[in-house]
Amino acid sequence: DVKVTQSSRYLVKRTGEKVFLECVQDMDHENMFWYRQDPGLGLRLIYFSYDVKMKEKGDIPEGYSVSREKKERFSLILESASTNQTSMYLCASAGVVSYNEQFFGPGTRLTVL
Amino acid sequence: GQQVMQIPQYQHVQEGEDFTTYCNSSTTLSNIQWYKQRPGGHPVFLIQLVKSGEVKKQKRLTFQFGEAKKNSSLHITATQTTDVGTYFCAGALKAAGNKLTFGGGTRVLVKP
């Protein structure tokens, strides 16, 4: 059974802290994505990666960075968390033709105080 | 940039009734996908439409892709309580690289 896992379901951090969100997939997928989900706004793409060490900005990359050192792992980094980054963060992966089906992780609900 | 809009944002449906949710893109799409997210869950892929005018069915769900490949619809017949959740469309555009643009979703609530 295919699986995308995320390091935490819930996370509470303080303004200014550095935050790491980790995502691991076991499907040997080339493509991985980070989205944030806010009510009424759907899923907005932050960053994606189509290969190890490769990354591309999505629609809302400001305030975020990513790292993909291994094929199965894609990390989202908030360099200095702010309250407007309080959100649900979803990781997804997809096979070679990345606009085929995306498989999502369970999400991390991040609260920044 | 590319925008994908869904209407309605909320849909209250009496159990047993039909409803339709609509998805519109500002640009012509390569394909469109639909996902369902149950309350407290994560989005799960339902279907992908690729061809102009394509219609696909999954039991009580009917998906259509417009002739101009700029809009799509999801029609559910005889709504059941298991249909509760948020339905997202997501458009893919080759020129935009390997990514999907999601609509805002239609949240479906079913009245028993």
Side-chain angles (χ1 to χ4, degrees):
Chain A
D1 202 14
V2 298
K3 212 166 188 181
V4 179
T5 56
Q6 294 183 229
S7 49
S8 307
R9 287 303 303 271
Y10 300 94
L11 208 53
V12 180
K13 295 291 181 180
R14 296 207 175 272
T15 301
E17 280 193 83
K18 192 168 186 177
V19 182
F20 292 87
L21 302 182
E22 298 257 298
C23 175
V24 178
Q25 51 96 2
D26 66 359
M27 295 166 281
D28 201 35
H29 281 165
E30 288 73 18
N31 301 283
M32 296 187 75
F33 308 83
W34 274 106
Y35 296 90
R36 63 176 284 176
Q37 182 176 19
D38 301 287
L41 297 178
L43 281 70
R44 292 181 292 167
L45 182 65
I46 304 171
Y47 267 98
F48 69 103
S49 168
Y50 53 88
D51 202 353
V52 174
K53 296 193 186 295
M54 305 305 288
K55 61 184 180 183
E56 287 206 21
K57 292 180 179 179
D59 299 315
I60 52 164
E62 296 79 18
Y64 303 95
S65 62
V66 291
S67 172
R68 189 145 180 225
E69 296 298 316
K70 293 185 177 181
K71 189 176 185 180
E72 68 271 18
R73 191 178 298 268
F74 191 35
S75 301
L76 180 69
I77 303 149
L78 286 67
E79 294 289 342
S80 177
S82 63
T83 54
N84 62 12
Q85 291 179 310
T86 291
S87 187
M88 171 67 83
Y89 289 88
L90 289 161
C91 174
S93 73
V96 171
V97 181
S98 69
Y99 40 86
N100 282 342
E101 175 180 1
Q102 292 191 11
F103 295 86
F104 284 84
T108 296
R109 183 163 294 282
L110 173 66
T111 302
V112 183
L113 302 175
Chain B
Q2 181 191 4
Q3 289 189 331
V4 176
M5 291 148 287
Q6 274 185 264
I7 53 171
Q9 189 173 352
Y10 296 95
Q11 181 82 54
H12 291 81
V13 190
Q14 190 71 46
E15 191 173 12
E17 290 185 345
D18 302 352
F19 77 91
T20 303
T21 176
Y22 300 90
C23 180
N24 294 289
S25 169
S26 57
T27 54
T28 303
L29 300 169
S30 303
N31 69 74
I32 196 155
Q33 300 178 19
W34 285 88
Y35 290 78
K36 178 183 178 181
Q37 184 175 25
R38 295 183 184 276
H42 57 272
V44 175
F45 175 83
L46 293 176
I47 207 158
Q48 177 178 269
L49 304 169
V50 179
K51 298 176 185 175
S52 169
E54 189 169 13
V55 178
K56 286 188 177 180
K57 291 191 175 185
Q58 286 181 350
K59 296 183 181 178
R60 295 177 295 103
L61 279 61
T62 301
F63 303 85
Q64 286 190 311
F65 201 9
E67 294 290 340
K69 299 183 75 172
K70 293 180 74 172
N71 56 69
S72 181
S73 64
L74 160 59
H75 181 79
I76 300 182
T77 58
T79 304
Q80 299 177 0
T81 55
T82 53
D83 296 323
V84 164
T86 302
Y87 294 83
F88 293 99
C89 64
L93 184 62
K94 281 186 181 176
N98 298 330
K99 62 179 187 178
L100 294 174
T101 299
F102 280 79
T106 294
R107 186 175 172 189
V108 176
L109 303 168
V110 179
K111 294 178 280 188

